[in-house]
Amino acid sequence: MSRFAPPSRRFAIALAAAALSGLLQVLVFPRFSWHWLAPVCLVPLLVALKGLAWPERLVVGWLSGAVFWAGVGYWIYAVMRDYAGITPFVAGLLYIAFFLVMAIQPGAFGVLAGPFLGSPWAVLAVAALWVALEGSYQHFFFTWLQLGNAAVDFPLPHPLRLAPWTGIYGPSLVFAAANAAVAVAVLQRSARPLLGLLPLAGLVLLPALPAPGPQRDVARLVQPNVHPDLIKAGWLAENGTAHLAKMLEMSKASSAGAPPTLLVWPEYPVSAYYFDDRASRAFLERVARESGAAFIFNTISFEDGDRARPQNSSVTLDRNGERLSSYSKIHLVPFGEFVPWPFHLFVEKITMEAGMFRPGNQISVATVGTHGIGTFICYESVFANSIRKFTRNGAELLVNISNDSWYARSAARDQHLLVARMRAVENGRWILRATNDGITTAIDPAGRVVAALPSYVQDTLDVGFDYRSELTGFVRHGEWLWWICLLGTAVKLARDYATARRNRLR
């Protein structure tokens, strides 16, 4: 007779429902982008939690999260295989480890949401729990998509109207509350719990997002289209001089149309060394002068001048080639720019610069004329609280320089763009996004993509934009809603624990 009994029928059904919820969450985001699923994608998971013991709820929640993260992060396997110097087998193991670790918060959600569903305040309690755990990713290993990102292209505009006041946490709370209400209605076989969503009708009273406004300035975004595989194959040694000459030519103002007042080069594999290489610095200053525009570009700097301690940085020059500001990337990509311990024993980082990258420690805003410009680098776009600090410190325009070529033709490019669009809404700012080979875009303060270049081509995008000085509620007050959800969840857990303990002592 086997020592291991097969799972009960109820538990087996719960596992299937959890997997379904994970799949539905995958479908919410690119490349499928079925955003209308956001208010119901968690329902199978929530319904499945009824009647399960806490270890079963842990497994059920964990499975749902694992399916989700494996689905939206499928591209991690190819990135690790192709650029981290490891075998496909090890890349596969790291990919599995990735989605199992990322499923810790959904596992905790499964454990805690089960009892919450029986509460008189089930809808609010479950929604707050979801937001509290979702927001915690930023303080751990990796963060990427949040449920609230679906609001950017949701068929109804009202959830997105919360973002300038609450950040992404407001839309996430709305969608989580809708899921909880539907789940409780199913469990109780009554439409009555849906009445808990009536307060959401107040969203229609929120101000509409900004209409397309004047575009009084012009920026030129340069897309070099240099794939990392070319650099690995020695392309730079043979073609580097001609490539830089082409970049200079693409950067010069043309006679047609209004001349750009801002030139942006992306983060890309042809590394510049503005701070410690005279030839690089002279060339970049020349680009600024011949373009006749303020110039933002990516460079490698070195902490304390130590070449074993590189930093991923941006520099802003004025139209005469004088340096206005520099900024070093604060949030580094795990395995991309540094390898967490102990993985460095057998995994190389993806970027080609020697040494482990060191994070910066200070937000920097460049003053160009009378306007402030904040430049953040690549993956930093997922950190809502960090991006708002640029705006809080005086940025009237946000610039995102990125190199998404590591993602190849996967959905990661579209996912990254979706995240950046939410940052535009939260901050009430234009975001100009220059990338190596796509997706190069201009995003207005309502999160709309105003213009974009085709991917995988070498080209420039001249696009109008406007500087904005108004501060949104989110910029002023930060992640206040996340903290309320976190505190509210902690208080409820403490009260439930105290009540259970009193009942045991009777």
Side-chain angles (χ1 to χ4, degrees):
M1 186 174 179
S2 173
R3 294 178 56 192
F4 301 101
S8 67
R9 184 171 181 271
R10 172 185 287 179
F11 185 45
I13 292 173
L15 291 173
L20 175 60
S21 254
L23 177 60
L24 292 176
Q25 290 175 74
V26 173
L27 296 176
V28 167
F29 297 108
R31 159 154 312 145
F32 302 96
S33 299
W34 294 358
H35 307 291
W36 52 272
L37 285 174
V40 295
C41 60
L42 303 177
V43 172
L45 168 64
L46 291 169
V47 171
L49 296 175
K50 182 181 179 181
L52 299 181
W54 78 261
E56 293 174 318
R57 296 199 303 273
L58 173 64
V59 173
V60 166
W62 201 311
L63 176 61
S64 179
V67 171
F68 169 67
W69 284 108
V72 297
Y74 71 93
W75 41 269
I76 286 176
Y77 166 73
V79 172
M80 298 300 295
R81 180 196 63 202
D82 295 340
Y83 299 109
I86 58 178
T87 65
F89 176 73
V90 176
L93 291 179
L94 287 172
Y95 168 57
I96 293 170
F98 161 77
F99 64 72
L100 291 179
V101 169
M102 293 298 288
I104 290 174
Q105 278 92 334
F109 178 77
V111 171
L112 301 175
F116 283 11
L117 288 167
S119 163
W121 299 91
V123 172
L124 183 58
V126 170
L129 172 65
W130 178 267
V131 173
L133 291 170
E134 191 178 59
S136 71
Y137 278 111
Q138 64 185 311
H139 299 292
F140 292 96
F141 168 64
F142 181 78
T143 185
W144 193 237
L145 293 169
Q146 293 170 256
L147 188 58
N149 284 121
V152 172
D153 285 322
F154 193 67
L156 298 175
H158 308 97
L160 190 59
R161 291 181 183 179
L162 276 170
W165 304 90
T166 67
I168 192 170
Y169 306 104
S172 277
L173 188 72
V174 168
F175 291 142
N179 277 277
V182 174
V184 175
V186 171
L187 290 171
Q188 295 182 2
R189 299 182 181 180
S190 167
R192 201 169 181 183
L194 298 178
L195 297 176
L197 298 179
L198 285 178
L200 297 183
L203 295 178
V204 301
L205 302 177
L206 290 174
L209 295 175
Q215 299 171 24
R216 290 175 278 233
D217 285 88
V218 176
R220 173 165 294 180
L221 312 180
V222 178
Q223 183 171 286
N225 193 36
V226 178
H227 197 275
D229 287 348
L230 295 175
I231 307 298
K232 289 170 64 177
W235 172 89
L236 188 59
E238 182 177 347
N239 300 280
T241 301
H243 171 72
L244 291 177
K246 179 64 175 177
M247 290 290 287
L248 174 61
E249 187 64 27
M250 294 169 70
S251 301
K252 292 180 180 179
S254 60
S255 56
T261 58
L262 181 65
L263 170 68
V264 185
W265 283 12
E267 177 194 42
Y268 77 122
V270 181
S271 298
Y273 296 91
Y274 173 83
F275 290 101
D276 67 340
D277 182 78
R278 291 184 179 180
S280 287
R281 183 164 61 252
F283 173 74
L284 293 164
E285 290 170 349
R286 179 187 174 191
V287 172
R289 289 193 298 270
E290 296 195 17
S291 71
F295 177 29
I296 298 173
F297 59 90
N298 179 227
T299 188
I300 302 298
S301 60
F302 298 97
E303 188 178 41
D304 301 325
D306 184 350
R307 294 190 70 88
R309 302 166 73 184
Q311 293 182 303
N312 190 353
S313 304
S314 68
V315 172
T316 303
L317 306 181
D318 69 14
R319 59 185 299 174
N320 298 313
E322 298 294 324
R323 181 160 66 95
L324 298 175
S325 75
S326 60
Y327 165 74
S328 292
K329 187 177 183 180
I330 294 173
H331 299 284
L332 301 179
V333 183
F335 298 103
E337 292 160 321
F338 77 102
V339 181
W341 184 91
F343 295 102
H344 68 282
L345 298 175
F346 58 92
V347 177
E348 298 176 11
K349 62 184 174 62
I350 294 167
T351 44
M352 299 168 187
E353 188 67 32
M356 299 282 274
F357 275 80
R358 301 302 178 99
N361 55 21
Q362 187 173 358
I363 296 293
S364 177
V365 174
T367 301
V368 178
T370 60
H371 300 293
I373 301 177
T375 301
F376 55 98
I377 302 174
C378 195
Y379 167 69
E380 291 190 303
S381 59
V382 303
F383 294 92
N385 197 45
S386 291
I387 305 308
R388 65 168 278 273
K389 291 178 181 177
F390 285 98
T391 308
R392 183 69 187 258
N393 287 0
E396 299 168 80
L397 169 72
L398 294 173
V399 173
N400 178 212
I401 59 175
S402 188
N403 179 14
D404 290 356
S405 57
W406 312 104
Y407 301 145
R409 296 177 182 268
S410 73
R413 295 168 176 269
D414 302 283
Q415 294 170 1
H416 201 183
L417 175 60
L418 184 68
V419 169
R421 292 171 64 192
M422 177 58 75
R423 300 292 89 86
V425 179
E426 291 170 337
N427 289 271
R429 293 292 184 269
W430 282 81
I431 293 183
L432 303 180
R433 192 164 186 269
T435 69
N436 174 26
D437 63 359
I439 303 170
T440 296
T441 54
I443 306 166
D444 78 1
R448 292 177 287 253
V449 173
V450 173
L453 281 177
S455 294
Y456 319 113
V457 298
Q458 187 179 76
D459 205 349
T460 62
L461 177 66
D462 285 4
V463 63
F465 70 94
D466 196 29
Y467 293 100
R468 294 173 61 90
S469 58
E470 302 86 356
L471 298 184
T472 65
F474 178 68
V475 169
R476 292 179 184 275
H477 306 298
E479 298 177 300
W480 62 270
L481 182 59
W482 178 60
W483 284 106
I484 287 176
C485 290
L486 200 62
L487 180 61
T489 297
V491 168
K492 176 161 179 55
L493 289 173
R495 290 186 63 182
D496 288 353
Y497 173 77
T499 300
R501 189 178 181 198
R502 284 196 303 269
N503 290 338
R504 285 197 303 268
L505 294 175
R506 285 177 181 171

